[in-house]
Amino acid sequence: MQAFRYRTPQIVIHWLVAALTIFLVATGTFILAEMPNTAEKIMNLRIHLIVGALTALLVVVRIILRKRMPAPPTEKLVMLGHMALNLVLLLMAMSGMVLALQSDLFAALFAGAALPEDFEVFTPRQIHGLGASLVMVLVAIHVAAALYHQLIVKDGLMARMGLGGK
């Protein structure tokens, strides 16, 4: 395999999106979903909303960089996996934004209004929850494939996304 290395901006954005995605899925699934819709939840939702918007922006930048910077030859299945992960992350952001609009969440987060009694009654919340499950599956597949290449195939694939080095 020829040595290919992504450029530093691509690598930094990859790892930022990875860390932010893990944070969002973990806090959304295990903290926010379990909290009652009271005033104590507002700061957590505000953080979730801001970090989610930042993650979506970084995914868009990552897609643009992928089109403008060199990329290694990629098998169709690998390309589809990356596209699926990017699309589901953007779907999560869109469903979160639509949920915020439909539930008047911005008034609760930034103007002192009460939270809705139950977010589950809003269709975008259902999409958001499904998206979170899909993200978990796609990330698990992504990590398993990277580990397979690193530990079984031993083709140095993970060096493409490593921080530091040339």
Side-chain angles (χ1 to χ4, degrees):
M1 170 179 257
Q2 187 175 359
F4 174 86
R5 185 163 169 78
Y6 286 97
R7 302 241 173 110
T8 301
Q10 292 169 295
I11 294 168
V12 169
I13 289 173
H14 173 272
W15 290 110
L16 276 173
V17 168
L20 294 173
T21 298
I22 291 166
F23 170 80
L24 288 165
V25 170
T27 58
T29 303
F30 302 111
I31 297 172
L32 288 172
E34 301 300 321
M35 290 180 82
N37 288 354
T38 60
E40 291 78 35
K41 189 173 188 174
I42 288 176
M43 180 55 78
N44 291 299
L45 283 169
R46 190 178 295 142
I47 292 167
H48 191 79
L49 185 138
I50 292 168
V51 173
L54 174 62
T55 303
L57 177 65
L58 288 171
V59 169
V60 170
V61 171
R62 179 168 63 187
I63 292 167
I64 292 168
L65 289 178
R66 178 73 163 91
K67 297 291 183 192
R68 293 188 176 181
M69 293 183 167
T74 305
E75 296 174 18
K76 192 170 201 137
L77 184 61
V78 172
M79 186 174 59
L80 289 173
H82 289 141
M83 284 175 51
L85 193 49
N86 285 332
L87 287 173
V88 173
L89 287 172
L90 291 175
L91 172 70
M92 292 287 296
M94 293 300 293
S95 64
M97 284 187 262
V98 173
L99 174 61
L101 291 170
Q102 280 187 357
S103 66
D104 206 19
L105 182 60
F106 293 111
L109 297 182
F110 302 109
L115 288 171
E117 190 173 314
D118 187 4
F119 285 110
E120 297 293 331
V121 300
F122 298 98
T123 302
R125 173 60 187 93
Q126 305 304 315
I127 295 168
H128 206 67
L130 176 62
S133 297
L134 283 171
V135 165
M136 287 187 255
V137 169
L138 290 170
V139 167
I141 291 169
H142 187 76
V143 169
L147 290 173
Y148 170 77
H149 276 273
Q150 186 69 19
L151 301 174
I152 307 297
V153 179
K154 297 184 182 187
D155 59 4
L157 180 90
M158 288 180 65
R160 292 178 179 180
M161 273 297 164
L163 296 169
K166 293 186 178 191

